Amino acid sequence: MIERLWNKNFILIFFSNLLMAFSFNLLMPTIPIYLTEVLQTPASQVGIVLSSYSLAVLFIRPFSGYFVDTLPRKPLYLLAFSAFSLVFFGYLFAATVVLLVLVRFVHGITWGLTTVTGNTIAIDVIPSSRRGEGVGYFGLTLNIAMAIAPIVGTILYERWGFAALIYGCLSSSALGVIIASRIKPVPRPVRVHVPVSLDRFILIKGIPAGISFIFCAFPYGMLVSYVVLYGKEIAISMPTLFFVFLALGIGTSRLISGRLVDRGYMHPLIGGAMIALAFSLVLLSTVHEVVVFDLSAYLIGIAYGTMVPAFQYLVVALAPASMRGTANSTYLVSFDIGVSLGMLFGGFMASAYSLSAAYLLGAASVVFSFFLYCFKVRPHFNRNKLKLE
């Protein structure tokens, strides 16, 4: 008998996460504009404001896993989600760069804790026999938000101003909290008396997979930060369409790949996605035509849409249910590190060589990850995987 995936709890966590991601992506494209046009912030300081968010997320991720595994998950989720929503008010009063850095840092901490908790609750309520499929669908919340929210946010900002945009973010997030309050997660034993040790913050068995995932997330940091600039450099009309095709590719793959993971094809899917990603990055960096530019975005989306939930499934399968939060934070920390390094090295490569060279470096990074996965991660997983809970 096939267990029901779209049960009440999964529907609720799906839409609460969608609304949280929507509120987050409403704000993302307009913050740099607000800084430069309204606050007259120098370009050198814009990066400081933006990066403070990423630093906060990296700081809180490992601790998030510990909290999720030692505290009741639903109350923690509601507390973190509510705090995430309330921080939006801070943007209305942050009239200096220093205050914005502070607000962004606090927002990053609440986002990091909320996403780890939400991902863990989602996995709790997904039937174990359909976990790969469920993780893939759950990940669509971020892709839907990424494709739609920036457009809505830009319209709100241009027509009604920054305050209206913030109230829009707050409304979306608050509705997400209300929906989340209706979730009845599967009861799990809470480990109250847990000794503080390294494996409570990082899943030791998940480190090989995490390292491999870092090298795959590395080019993603280059893409989200510099691909529009790259498109303008190579005379591509409407380079922002890259993200639309990227989201379409991710959505397409996630409708299919999760089911294949559940049927035992995880290793071929991850390996195939790595090969496709490396090929697409080479294509993007060498053929400067609009059709190829958009096609490569779609192929990159398919590669990441296949790879990301499969890696999450892999890391979670190495952890008992009592350490599921730690497993999720390990997976997310790996992604954050890879993206941050991609942003850093992408800027260096762009100034020292070219963005084409940067994306070739990204392709080389993925090829290295492929061999690391084949000769280290896959054997390690096969020796240490646990029975699904």
Side-chain angles (χ1 to χ4, degrees):
M1 182 178 177
I2 299 177
E3 296 179 274
R4 184 183 176 189
L5 171 60
W6 290 95
N7 55 65
K8 180 181 178 181
N9 281 329
F10 185 68
I11 292 172
L12 290 171
I13 191 67
F14 180 94
F15 282 103
S16 67
N17 200 69
L18 174 62
L19 288 164
M20 181 184 68
F22 190 83
S23 66
F24 171 77
N25 283 279
L26 276 175
L27 189 61
M28 284 296 289
T30 53
I31 280 287
I33 301 171
Y34 175 71
L35 284 166
T36 54
E37 292 183 353
V38 178
L39 298 185
Q40 300 295 309
T41 305
S44 59
Q45 295 182 17
V46 172
I48 297 174
V49 176
L50 297 178
S51 62
S52 62
Y53 195 95
S54 300
L55 290 173
V57 172
L58 279 173
F59 170 77
I60 197 62
R61 289 286 200 205
F63 300 100
S64 299
Y66 180 79
F67 295 145
V68 171
D69 289 335
T70 56
L71 298 173
R73 288 171 182 169
K74 180 182 174 180
L76 180 63
Y77 183 53
L78 291 177
L79 177 64
F81 203 162
S82 299
F84 171 81
S85 302
L86 291 173
V87 174
F88 280 113
F89 280 117
Y91 291 95
L92 296 174
F93 303 99
T96 66
V97 171
V98 174
L99 287 177
L100 264 177
V101 167
L102 179 61
V103 171
R104 294 285 291 172
F105 190 84
V106 175
H107 218 181
I109 288 177
T110 58
W111 168 266
L113 181 56
T114 307
T115 49
V116 171
T117 313
N119 270 268
T120 306
I121 290 176
I123 291 174
D124 283 344
V125 303
I126 293 171
S128 59
S129 62
R130 304 185 69 180
R131 186 165 294 160
E133 183 182 3
V135 168
Y137 282 126
F138 186 72
L140 280 175
T141 58
L142 300 179
N143 306 131
I144 294 169
M146 181 180 69
I148 300 174
I151 300 172
V152 177
T154 302
I155 292 172
L156 283 172
Y157 179 78
E158 291 179 349
R159 291 190 179 181
W160 294 287
F162 190 68
L165 172 65
I166 295 301
Y167 286 121
C169 296
L170 182 62
S171 300
S172 174
S173 189
L175 181 58
V177 174
I178 294 171
I179 292 175
S181 68
R182 307 297 297 172
I183 297 170
K184 295 180 180 179
V186 178
R188 295 285 182 181
V190 178
R191 301 177 63 183
V192 178
H193 303 291
V194 180
V196 178
S197 58
L198 179 62
D199 65 351
R200 301 311 303 164
F201 300 99
I202 296 292
L203 184 68
I204 304 300
K205 290 182 179 179
I207 289 177
I211 293 173
S212 178
F213 194 39
I214 286 172
F215 285 100
C216 289
F218 178 76
Y220 190 80
M222 295 180 177
L223 289 167
V224 297
S225 302
Y226 306 107
V227 76
V228 174
L229 177 61
Y230 175 62
K232 291 180 179 179
E233 284 185 0
I234 60 176
I236 299 296
S237 59
M238 298 184 67
T240 51
L241 285 177
F242 184 94
F243 292 104
V244 175
F245 284 99
L246 180 73
L248 287 173
I250 292 173
T252 301
S253 64
R254 290 201 170 184
L255 294 174
I256 303 170
S257 60
R259 296 179 184 180
L260 295 176
V261 168
D262 289 329
R263 294 175 183 175
Y265 296 102
M266 181 183 67
H267 294 310
L269 281 171
I270 291 177
M274 289 179 176
I275 294 171
L277 178 58
F279 170 78
S280 302
L281 288 167
V282 171
L283 197 65
L284 177 68
S285 65
T286 54
V287 183
H288 300 163
E289 298 290 339
V290 63
V291 174
V292 176
F293 186 81
D294 293 335
L295 175 62
S296 64
Y298 184 72
L299 294 176
I300 289 169
I302 289 177
Y304 276 117
T306 301
M307 180 193 308
V308 170
F311 259 108
Q312 183 178 13
Y313 178 96
L314 184 152
V315 176
V316 170
L318 293 170
S322 61
M323 294 184 66
R324 196 168 282 161
T326 303
N328 272 312
S329 69
T330 301
Y331 150 80
L332 291 168
V333 163
S334 300
F335 184 76
D336 292 335
I337 291 173
V339 170
S340 299
L341 289 174
M343 292 178 178
L344 179 65
F345 278 88
F348 168 76
M349 292 291 291
S351 60
Y353 302 98
S354 67
L355 283 171
S356 290
Y359 293 130
L360 285 175
L361 176 64
S365 173
V366 176
V367 171
F368 175 79
S369 181
F370 174 79
F371 286 106
L372 180 63
Y373 185 87
C374 290
F375 294 106
K376 179 64 179 178
V377 178
R378 179 173 178 168
H380 174 81
F381 173 82
N382 290 336
R383 289 193 304 268
N384 293 279
K385 64 181 178 180
L386 302 177
K387 183 179 179 180
L388 292 176
E389 299 181 66

